[in-house]
Amino acid sequence: MAAMKGEGEAGGAPAQAGRREPNHGLRIFLIWLPVALAADLIIWFVWGPHMPPGDMADQARGQQFDINIMAIMAAPVVAFVLIYAGYAMVVWRHREGDDEDGPPIYSNARIATTWIGLTSAIVLGLFVFGTVELIVPAGAGAGEGNTPIWRPGGGTPLQVQVIGQQWRWTYRYPQFGGFETTELMLPVGQEVQFNVTSLDVIHSFSAYQLGVKADANPGVNNVAYTEPQATGAFIVRCFELCGLWHADMTTTGQVVSMAAFRAWTTAARAQLTALTALLPPYSLTYDPNSVKQLNQAFVKAGLSGAGGNYYGGQYPVQP
Ligand SMILES: [Cu+2]
């Protein structure tokens, strides 16, 4: 850092006598500026549209925007660190025959002020940005507990209950008679409210391309919103190590047209009438010991949830 001070302190070193130190700070800045600018333009225009998790839902778009903004803030910092390191290695390297100690380093008020000011601005800016993005535009896509801070405005969201259990996901559609299925179907352009819970251990429900990730806790209703913007498949995964077959808790969900969704719900509802009658009444949480369809042998053994398959081949339902 001392070398960036310029001529002020180097005067004491006999080797430098009579030679003005160049303005290293300005030189580093002039190398850094075009690199940082180019990096930010490439991130925003070239890389940005491909940043995860894509733009299949409004929450996903919001997350993609957040990642792009943070990348744009981070790139100039990374560029500065690398350029400073490179500059130091080239300009201030040890030279043949120079065995002298470097000049003593004193504090430099300008560098210290710049450093504290810039880093504070970056950190506080990220704090404000992060908080606003969580609460204001479209929610976080994350589980917000049972009293969400952000709620979608206007209209009734489609309710989909997500039930985690070792080791699969099932979904209940309370607005369509409360049938339960292993198929996750959503209509495009419709706000969806996921009510996420678990029958056994802690799981974490992630609908990757929809920008949704919400923990599934037993006895807790965890709400997450999303509005799919395009039809197609999305990946569903469990993101919480939940036992032996955790890695197997992965399926594919589908965003379809409203007409296809209505046809699917009608078919599934009719096909599952007998089974729906056996299910516990729809509720935001379930006591696994009183859920009738659980494998009785495992319940008796005190191992409810460890069976790996509660539903004995009655699913999935095809649209
Ligand atoms: Cu899991």
Side-chain angles (χ1 to χ4, degrees), residues 181-202:
T181 166
T182 53
E183 300 266 302
L184 178 53
M185 282 287 173
L186 302 174
V188 69
Q190 163 71 47
E191 190 73 48
V192 177
Q193 177 178 345
F194 288 117
N195 295 306
V196 184
T197 189
S198 166
L199 293 183
D200 38 50
V201 300
I202 301 171

Side-chain angles (χ1 to χ4, degrees), residues 164-169 200-204 237-243 245-246 249:
Q165 54 221 275
Q166 289 170 318
W167 287 275
R168 65 170 58 192
W169 300 106
D200 38 50
V201 300
I202 301 171
H203 302 271
S204 187
R237 272 204 186 114
C238 181
F239 266 72
E240 182 72 45
L241 185 58
C242 59
W245 300 111
H246 159 68
M249 271 182 83

